[in-house]
Amino acid sequence: MTRDIRSRLRTLIGLTALGVVLAGAGTALGVAGPLGASGPEFVVSGENVTFSDADGDVTVVANASDARRIEIEKRGRGRFAVGTETERPLTAAERERAIDIATGNETVRRHLRDVSDYSFTVEPIRKLETTSVTNVSGNTTTVEASNGTVYRFENGDGDEGDGGESDATVAVERDPEYVEDLASVRVRQPETDDRTALKYTVTVDLADGTVADVTDWDAIRRRTD
């Protein structure tokens, strides 16, 4: 990727009440080169958050499926901070059990033999999600797209902030509901490109200890490319 994106992590304070936690790390972005006339944009989907400008895109929140709040702040010219507040409806024990169920399935084991290096993430399966946008400030544009909601931060020529551009904030609030006793186990290959890192999604039934479905994402990509 040719664009020079400088990233760092900033520690956020966790919340302990009612199973709600604030993500352990936020992300700060700096765009080194000049921005296009329409400005950079973030795409918020049910799966992740990506940042895009004229030179390409980068995933800034790899897993947004359990985020109940996503906040994007523009801090002057070409500087952004992204933070998430997450809800964990599955316990650590349930997540471990989901992985055990998935890896105990013969079909899944056969698929894993073809993947040289992999990691697991376990997420609940959403039944219904109501999304609203609050605290939209500054010069921003919102567009609904097939891959998510696009928040475009327009380039300004005012005198506020760093380098003559005013700050802006977008906060996305969610109120998710989940399917009882089902979990999604995602198998990723960490060293590959973001677009192809997800290899399999395994739906498991935690109540009866079985695999309900296996999705081969490489096979789907081959059919759609």
PDB file of all heavy atoms in Angstrom, residues 159-172:
ATOM      1  N   ASP A 159      -9.967  28.337   9.860  1.00  0.00           N
ATOM      2  CA  ASP A 159      -8.758  28.616  10.627  1.00  0.00           C
ATOM      3  C   ASP A 159      -8.724  27.870  11.948  1.00  0.00           C
ATOM      4  O   ASP A 159      -7.882  28.103  12.787  1.00  0.00           O
ATOM      5  CB  ASP A 159      -8.628  30.118  10.887  1.00  0.00           C
ATOM      6  CG  ASP A 159      -9.852  30.678  11.598  1.00  0.00           C
ATOM      7  OD1 ASP A 159     -10.737  29.881  11.950  1.00  0.00           O
ATOM      8  OD2 ASP A 159      -9.909  31.899  11.784  1.00  0.00           O
ATOM      9  N   GLU A 160      -9.655  26.869  12.148  1.00  0.00           N
ATOM     10  CA  GLU A 160      -9.657  26.129  13.394  1.00  0.00           C
ATOM     11  C   GLU A 160      -8.722  24.936  13.303  1.00  0.00           C
ATOM     12  O   GLU A 160      -8.377  24.469  12.244  1.00  0.00           O
ATOM     13  CB  GLU A 160     -11.064  25.615  13.735  1.00  0.00           C
ATOM     14  CG  GLU A 160     -12.108  26.693  13.885  1.00  0.00           C
ATOM     15  CD  GLU A 160     -12.906  26.859  12.611  1.00  0.00           C
ATOM     16  OE1 GLU A 160     -12.315  26.634  11.536  1.00  0.00           O
ATOM     17  OE2 GLU A 160     -14.080  27.222  12.710  1.00  0.00           O
ATOM     18  N   GLY A 161      -8.364  24.408  14.478  1.00  0.00           N
ATOM     19  CA  GLY A 161      -7.647  23.142  14.535  1.00  0.00           C
ATOM     20  C   GLY A 161      -6.246  23.235  13.979  1.00  0.00           C
ATOM     21  O   GLY A 161      -5.669  24.292  13.779  1.00  0.00           O
ATOM     22  N   ASP A 162      -5.670  22.076  13.710  1.00  0.00           N
ATOM     23  CA  ASP A 162      -4.306  21.954  13.224  1.00  0.00           C
ATOM     24  C   ASP A 162      -4.280  22.138  11.718  1.00  0.00           C
ATOM     25  O   ASP A 162      -4.923  21.424  10.981  1.00  0.00           O
ATOM     26  CB  ASP A 162      -3.758  20.568  13.606  1.00  0.00           C
ATOM     27  CG  ASP A 162      -2.354  20.363  13.095  1.00  0.00           C
ATOM     28  OD1 ASP A 162      -1.647  21.363  12.889  1.00  0.00           O
ATOM     29  OD2 ASP A 162      -1.976  19.192  12.905  1.00  0.00           O
ATOM     30  N   GLY A 163      -3.511  23.089  11.237  1.00  0.00           N
ATOM     31  CA  GLY A 163      -3.337  23.242   9.809  1.00  0.00           C
ATOM     32  C   GLY A 163      -4.511  23.886   9.110  1.00  0.00           C
ATOM     33  O   GLY A 163      -4.668  23.739   7.901  1.00  0.00           O
ATOM     34  N   GLY A 164      -5.392  24.575   9.822  1.00  0.00           N
ATOM     35  CA  GLY A 164      -6.459  25.290   9.152  1.00  0.00           C
ATOM     36  C   GLY A 164      -7.716  24.506   8.908  1.00  0.00           C
ATOM     37  O   GLY A 164      -8.548  24.898   8.109  1.00  0.00           O
ATOM     38  N   GLU A 165      -7.912  23.348   9.552  1.00  0.00           N
ATOM     39  CA  GLU A 165      -9.140  22.587   9.364  1.00  0.00           C
ATOM     40  C   GLU A 165      -9.813  22.369  10.703  1.00  0.00           C
ATOM     41  O   GLU A 165      -9.164  22.084  11.708  1.00  0.00           O
ATOM     42  CB  GLU A 165      -8.846  21.237   8.705  1.00  0.00           C
ATOM     43  CG  GLU A 165      -8.429  21.369   7.253  1.00  0.00           C
ATOM     44  CD  GLU A 165      -8.611  20.068   6.495  1.00  0.00           C
ATOM     45  OE1 GLU A 165      -9.258  19.156   7.043  1.00  0.00           O
ATOM     46  OE2 GLU A 165      -8.129  19.985   5.362  1.00  0.00           O
ATOM     47  N   SER A 166     -11.126  22.496  10.712  1.00  0.00           N
ATOM     48  CA  SER A 166     -11.876  22.348  11.955  1.00  0.00           C
ATOM     49  C   SER A 166     -12.025  20.882  12.325  1.00  0.00           C
ATOM     50  O   SER A 166     -11.952  19.991  11.485  1.00  0.00           O
ATOM     51  CB  SER A 166     -13.258  22.988  11.792  1.00  0.00           C
ATOM     52  OG  SER A 166     -13.963  22.361  10.744  1.00  0.00           O
ATOM     53  N   ASP A 167     -12.243  20.640  13.630  1.00  0.00           N
ATOM     54  CA  ASP A 167     -12.465  19.290  14.113  1.00  0.00           C
ATOM     55  C   ASP A 167     -13.888  18.848  13.793  1.00  0.00           C
ATOM     56  O   ASP A 167     -14.764  19.660  13.503  1.00  0.00           O
ATOM     57  CB  ASP A 167     -12.232  19.226  15.621  1.00  0.00           C
ATOM     58  CG  ASP A 167     -10.791  19.523  15.995  1.00  0.00           C
ATOM     59  OD1 ASP A 167      -9.941  19.511  15.090  1.00  0.00           O
ATOM     60  OD2 ASP A 167     -10.525  19.783  17.178  1.00  0.00           O
ATOM     61  N   ALA A 168     -14.106  17.534  13.853  1.00  0.00           N
ATOM     62  CA  ALA A 168     -15.441  16.974  13.628  1.00  0.00           C
ATOM     63  C   ALA A 168     -15.526  15.645  14.352  1.00  0.00           C
ATOM     64  O   ALA A 168     -14.517  14.987  14.596  1.00  0.00           O
ATOM     65  CB  ALA A 168     -15.705  16.791  12.135  1.00  0.00           C
ATOM     66  N   THR A 169     -16.753  15.240  14.700  1.00  0.00           N
ATOM     67  CA  THR A 169     -16.960  13.984  15.412  1.00  0.00           C
ATOM     68  C   THR A 169     -18.193  13.275  14.870  1.00  0.00           C
ATOM     69  O   THR A 169     -19.212  13.912  14.606  1.00  0.00           O
ATOM     70  CB  THR A 169     -17.160  14.227  16.925  1.00  0.00           C
ATOM     71  OG1 THR A 169     -16.019  14.902  17.453  1.00  0.00           O
ATOM     72  CG2 THR A 169     -17.337  12.904  17.672  1.00  0.00           C
ATOM     73  N   VAL A 170     -18.086  11.955  14.717  1.00  0.00           N
ATOM     74  CA  VAL A 170     -19.228  11.104  14.398  1.00  0.00           C
ATOM     75  C   VAL A 170     -19.263   9.981  15.427  1.00  0.00           C
ATOM     76  O   VAL A 170     -18.250   9.305  15.647  1.00  0.00           O
ATOM     77  CB  VAL A 170     -19.135  10.510  12.982  1.00  0.00           C
ATOM     78  CG1 VAL A 170     -20.216   9.458  12.772  1.00  0.00           C
ATOM     79  CG2 VAL A 170     -19.257  11.605  11.929  1.00  0.00           C
ATOM     80  N   ALA A 171     -20.407   9.796  16.081  1.00  0.00           N
ATOM     81  CA  ALA A 171     -20.576   8.690  17.029  1.00  0.00           C
ATOM     82  C   ALA A 171     -21.722   7.805  16.555  1.00  0.00           C
ATOM     83  O   ALA A 171     -22.817   8.290  16.300  1.00  0.00           O
ATOM     84  CB  ALA A 171     -20.858   9.223  18.432  1.00  0.00           C
ATOM     85  N   VAL A 172     -21.455   6.511  16.431  1.00  0.00           N
ATOM     86  CA  VAL A 172     -22.458   5.544  15.992  1.00  0.00           C
ATOM     87  C   VAL A 172     -22.883   4.717  17.192  1.00  0.00           C
ATOM     88  O   VAL A 172     -22.055   4.055  17.822  1.00  0.00           O
ATOM     89  CB  VAL A 172     -21.895   4.620  14.891  1.00  0.00           C
ATOM     90  CG1 VAL A 172     -22.951   3.622  14.436  1.00  0.00           C
ATOM     91  CG2 VAL A 172     -21.386   5.435  13.709  1.00  0.00           C
TER      92      VAL A 172
END
